[in-house]
Amino acid sequence: MLPSNYRHRIRILEFTIDVDELLQEIEVEKELGYFWADIRTLKGEDIQTAGMEFQNNTFRFIMRYNPAITSNMIIEYQGQRYDVDEIVNDNLRNKTLTIIGRTKAGL
């Protein structure tokens, strides 16, 4: 893939469990970093649940290989957060990753 295809800047976040001064477990947002990626839309589904409509968007984020990225991380792009559903090492060559991310937004 050409470097010019990686024109979208994404932020990858990780949530960890930390203990505060009162010995309570809290979830802390930790930034893994900013990365350049190519973003493709996979599909959009309209789901009706309990009389409410939700739009379920699935995107494919293609970026350079980084072994630190796991499926329990969040991708942030243009103020929207995406849950990581799947991570694929393209052709098992450790050159690019394809990350399938999904968001649900109320209409």
Side-chain angles (χ1 to χ4, degrees):
M1 185 167 252
L2 297 173
S4 61
N5 291 341
Y6 301 113
R7 62 183 177 271
H8 303 282
R9 192 128 167 110
I10 63 172
R11 180 179 174 211
I12 298 184
L13 305 168
E14 178 179 22
F15 290 95
T16 58
I17 302 296
D18 200 6
V19 178
D20 64 2
E21 60 273 355
L22 299 175
L23 300 176
Q24 298 173 340
E25 291 184 351
I26 56 171
E27 192 173 46
V28 178
E29 181 180 290
K30 179 183 170 188
E31 180 180 295
L32 182 64
Y34 286 89
F35 301 92
W36 292 102
D38 185 16
I39 300 175
R40 309 276 171 125
T41 305
L42 286 181
K43 61 182 176 178
E45 298 174 351
D46 288 328
I47 301 172
Q48 275 191 319
T49 307
M52 298 175 65
E53 286 190 14
F54 293 97
Q55 187 173 2
N56 186 356
N57 295 317
T58 305
F59 290 90
R60 180 174 57 193
F61 300 89
I62 303 168
M63 59 179 282
R64 295 197 187 278
Y65 180 78
N66 187 332
I69 297 173
T70 61
S71 61
N72 60 349
M73 295 183 177
I74 302 287
I75 295 176
E76 188 176 79
Y77 175 65
Q78 292 184 343
Q80 187 71 32
R81 292 190 173 194
Y82 301 87
D83 293 324
V84 175
D85 285 346
E86 184 179 350
I87 300 173
V88 178
N89 181 359
D90 297 330
N91 298 325
L92 299 174
R93 299 180 74 195
N94 296 345
K95 292 194 180 237
T96 58
L97 286 178
T98 298
I99 302 171
I100 308 299
R102 181 174 306 206
T103 185
K104 292 181 183 175
L107 293 176

